[in-house]
Amino acid sequence: SLSQIPTAFSEDGRLLLVQMEDLVLWDLETKALVAKIPLTACHQVALLKQDSWVLCVKHDVVIYDWKNQASVATVPQESRQPYRLLAYSSQTDRMVLRHGNEAVSVWQIGKKLVPLKHIPLDVKAETHSVVASADTMLLAIAQGRAIRLHDLTGTTIRDVNIKDGQPLDLLF
């Protein structure tokens, strides 16, 4: 059951964010508790590029500034299924979210969240795997005997057909 506890490290490896009753942030060098963040039931967490911002993914997505003890932005719940964070890149400061089996969206993170792209998933076709590259530049969707590649910075979509078999689990 411990593997189900959402955790995240800062890029330098110094800070550890872990979901307990609240989200807690630890400084691993000093072994000190840095902050208790009043967010509960996060399915996924991330430390963002901004100095004190954390991301909590559940049925909605909350960005919280733990130094100022204030919510910065929220992506409201759009589906009966919870969101899933496919990728966050501190270089591009973007995140890719999956909305259950309905859609994938790309967001620019800042004081205001800016929706960049919304990609509906074909609900009639069985979607086996949806993955985003770590740099948030590409999205791959496996449906049936094909893999559809989306350029998340432009409009290019490329299909790769698989002759013998169905792709089940995609990785970047």
Side-chain angles (χ1 to χ4, degrees), residues 133-147:
S133 60
D135 61 5
T136 68
M137 301 294 203
L138 287 172
L139 178 75
I141 302 170
Q143 289 183 318
R145 295 184 178 265
I147 300 170

Side-chain angles (χ1 to χ4, degrees), residues 96-140:
V96 180
L97 296 173
R98 181 172 178 173
H99 310 229
N101 290 322
E102 298 168 8
V104 172
S105 60
V106 182
W107 297 81
Q108 186 69 48
I109 295 176
K111 291 274 185 200
K112 181 179 177 190
L113 287 175
V114 178
L116 300 176
K117 229 177 233 299
H118 185 84
I119 301 166
L121 296 174
D122 186 353
V123 292
K124 294 176 185 172
E126 187 176 355
T127 302
H128 295 292
S129 184
V130 178
V131 295
S133 60
D135 61 5
T136 68
M137 301 294 203
L138 287 172
L139 178 75

